[in-house]
Amino acid sequence: MLNPAFNQRILISFISIFTRCSEDMVSRMAKEEDSPKPFDMLHYTTQCTLEMVCASSLKSDITDNPLAKDICGGIERICSIMCSRVYNVLLYSDLLFNMTPRYREMDRLRSKLQEMLDPIVSERREEMAKERLENPILDEEENYRKPMVFLDQLLNMRRGDEELTTKEIENHLHTIIAAGSETSANQVAYILLQLAMHPDVQDRVCEEIRSIYGDSSLNITYETISAQNYLEQVIKETLRLFPVAPFIGRKTIETVKLGDVVVPPGVTLIMNILNVHRSKELWGERADVFDPDRFDPSTYDARNHHPFSYIPFGGGPRNCIGYRYGMFTMKIMVTQVLNRYVLSTPLSVNDSLGGCDRHRTVFGPSESLNIQLYVLSTPLSVNDSLGLSLAITLKTAVGHQICIKRRPNVSH
């Protein structure tokens, strides 16, 4: 029912929004220029993707909203609290969880998010009511087929003769904001970190940008984005090594046989995408090596791979409907950053992007992480160890630490 909110035509209309938000992010980054001290790129990508989601899916510009910055950290904290319940059997029960300080903190953060959303929903509801009065002959089928942003789709949706309840709309909005901002923000931060770690790859992406856009200011269109093939390879390879949703769950609806194991209906199965993407059985001996050329269209043929060997957005009928949305935002954000800045990082790729033992990849409490709650017992590491952890999305304990320097001949 919500797929029309992500069709190709409406996504193309978002390109100008994504471009503007990315330009604002790059401008905010200017205070980090030439500083010898690295900064965590995630702080900037999080605000940018939240602005993108609100402007594209909710038709609301929150750039100057004083609540926006707090919301960014709040969404990340909510994800951490939700994930912590997985590792504590005492918190499985809603009754017990609702008596804990974590629940009260999460409830306070959700209220803050709702404080930002309520005026947006109310204003849009009034606008749509006025539009219906002005054009009462628009039939329901035509209304459904008309391209709509996500919020409009929700407000027009019916269950029989009933509109969605306020609570249902709130839940959908919370989902789209978390899924659309938290995931993209983390993934872009990982992409930029990998580019900072691999200057040769960074140079190739920049050369592609210059060949497509020239030396003038960027005029980003659907055609130019589609032509950035090498950048897409970089994004895909980063998604392979650092899938932002490293685990997904599926509930069986009938008896399923997995090898010698019979799984009855109603069982939730957890799939470890992180290990699938780093499996040498599926990806060869260099599975742990960052190599965007493995996705070169001239040599890579998905038909020669297991259909579920690469599933950064899930797979099957319930895969992520925001795949193309995410690819648009990632390409535009990375392009804007690299057009203005040269990236570097004190972190370096040593010989150990691997270290993910399929038989030992378990999670346990880690006191060494501040806001991160859990860390891989066999961390995927660079020199300092990224200390990958899970809080709904894939986190790194040391941050996405990069330094930036303005590119020569770039004044804007």
Side-chain angles (χ1 to χ4, degrees):
M1 289 291 287
L2 293 173
N3 281 342
F6 294 94
N7 68 33
Q8 185 83 345
R9 184 158 46 137
I10 202 163
L11 287 178
I12 291 174
S13 73
F14 290 162
I15 289 176
S16 60
I17 294 173
F18 297 159
T19 299
R20 174 178 56 80
C21 293
S22 298
E23 288 172 344
D24 290 344
M25 176 188 71
V26 169
S27 296
R28 287 192 292 265
M29 290 168 59
K31 65 181 181 181
E32 309 285 358
E33 284 181 28
D34 301 319
S35 171
K37 184 180 178 181
F39 63 94
D40 190 347
M41 188 64 211
L42 187 61
H43 296 323
Y44 291 95
T45 58
T46 301
Q47 183 175 348
C48 178
T49 54
L50 180 62
E51 291 170 355
M52 285 178 170
V53 170
C54 289
S56 60
S57 297
L58 278 63
K59 281 189 173 178
S60 177
D61 185 353
I62 63 163
T63 305
D64 299 320
N65 191 319
L67 291 172
K69 197 165 185 179
D70 290 338
I71 295 299
C72 293
I75 292 172
E76 183 173 354
R77 182 59 186 151
I78 288 172
C79 290
S80 294
I81 293 172
M82 290 171 61
C83 193
S84 71
R85 297 184 67 183
V86 177
Y87 304 105
N88 188 338
V89 68
L90 297 177
L91 299 181
Y92 285 9
S93 163
D94 287 341
L95 178 64
L96 294 177
F97 176 66
N98 291 354
M99 294 188 289
T100 65
R102 289 182 190 178
Y103 169 76
R104 290 190 289 275
E105 180 185 3
M106 188 168 77
D107 192 52
R108 178 179 56 79
L109 293 169
R110 283 172 61 96
S111 297
K112 183 74 75 172
L113 175 60
Q114 204 54 47
E115 186 181 339
M116 183 184 77
L117 292 178
D118 282 343
I120 296 172
V121 175
S122 297
E123 182 179 344
R124 186 57 191 151
R125 211 188 276 274
E126 290 174 6
E127 289 174 356
M128 291 177 67
K130 185 177 179 181
E131 289 168 5
R132 288 194 192 102
L133 288 174
E134 293 173 352
N135 191 7
I137 61 172
L138 191 65
D139 65 42
E140 188 174 330
E141 183 177 353
E142 184 181 351
N143 201 32
Y144 174 74
R145 293 184 180 279
K146 179 184 176 183
M148 296 182 189
V149 299
F150 188 80
L151 178 57
D152 290 5
Q153 195 77 22
L154 289 176
L155 294 176
N156 273 287
M157 197 172 290
R158 296 286 187 278
R159 186 180 291 103
D161 294 330
E162 300 291 324
E163 296 181 346
L164 295 185
T165 65
T166 300
K167 188 63 178 176
E168 287 175 318
I169 291 174
E170 285 179 7
N171 288 339
H172 279 300
L173 291 178
H174 291 170
T175 299
I176 196 66
I177 287 173
S181 63
E182 170 80 355
T183 54
S184 295
N186 273 277
Q187 203 62 68
V188 171
Y190 276 114
I191 293 165
L192 295 173
L193 179 61
Q194 290 304 300
L195 290 171
M197 287 180 170
H198 300 84
D200 56 326
V201 175
Q202 184 180 164
D203 288 344
R204 285 183 64 182
V205 175
C206 289
E207 287 170 10
E208 182 180 67
I209 291 171
R210 292 288 172 266
S211 69
I212 294 171
Y213 297 97
D215 294 324
S216 58
S217 59
L218 299 177
N219 179 24
I220 297 177
T221 65
Y222 174 67
E223 289 71 27
T224 60
I225 294 172
S226 301
Q228 291 180 262
N229 296 319
Y230 186 68
L231 175 55
E232 186 162 326
Q233 292 171 216
V234 171
I235 292 172
K236 287 181 175 179
E237 179 67 347
T238 307
L239 284 165
R240 185 185 70 83
L241 284 172
F242 301 96
V244 73
F247 298 91
I248 57 174
R250 293 291 184 269
K251 182 178 285 189
T252 57
I253 57 175
E254 59 184 36
T255 299
V256 177
K257 189 172 182 181
L258 298 175
D260 297 328
V261 179
V262 177
V263 183
V267 173
T268 298
L269 302 176
I270 303 297
M271 280 143 277
N272 189 335
I273 295 176
L274 189 66
N275 274 339
V276 169
H277 282 187
R278 290 167 176 265
S279 167
K280 292 186 178 180
E281 184 179 336
L282 295 171
W283 294 95
E285 289 301 312
R286 301 179 70 252
D288 294 325
V289 176
F290 178 77
D291 179 15
D293 284 330
R294 76 173 74 243
F295 287 101
D296 187 332
S298 65
T299 57
Y300 178 77
D301 187 348
R303 293 172 298 182
N304 296 332
H305 291 257
H306 190 285
F308 294 106
S309 62
Y310 183 71
I311 47 173
F313 293 90
R318 292 189 61 81
N319 68 332
C320 177
I321 63 174
Y323 167 75
R324 287 178 300 177
Y325 178 102
M327 190 60 74
F328 276 26
T329 61
M330 288 186 285
K331 278 191 170 184
I332 292 173
M333 290 172 73
V334 173
T335 297
Q336 290 283 5
V337 171
L338 290 189
N339 183 58
R340 185 177 297 192
Y341 297 120
V342 178
L343 312 181
S344 60
T345 179
L347 300 172
S348 63
V349 177
N350 204 3
D351 58 352
S352 53
L353 262 181
C356 186
D357 186 328
R358 283 191 294 174
H359 303 292
R360 296 183 61 214
T361 305
V362 295
F363 286 79
S366 173
E367 294 179 357
S368 63
L369 303 177
N370 295 325
I371 63 168
Q372 266 98 353
L373 300 175
Y374 298 90
V375 63
L376 285 168
S377 63
T378 52
L380 308 172
S381 59
V382 291
N383 247 9
D384 259 331
S385 172
L386 286 179
L388 294 183
S389 63
L390 177 67
I392 305 298
T393 53
L394 193 67
K395 307 291 186 183
T396 166
V398 297
H400 306 79
Q401 301 293 328
I402 67 169
C403 298
I404 58 173
K405 183 172 64 175
R406 190 176 287 266
R407 288 191 178 279
N409 304 320
V410 175
S411 57
H412 56 280

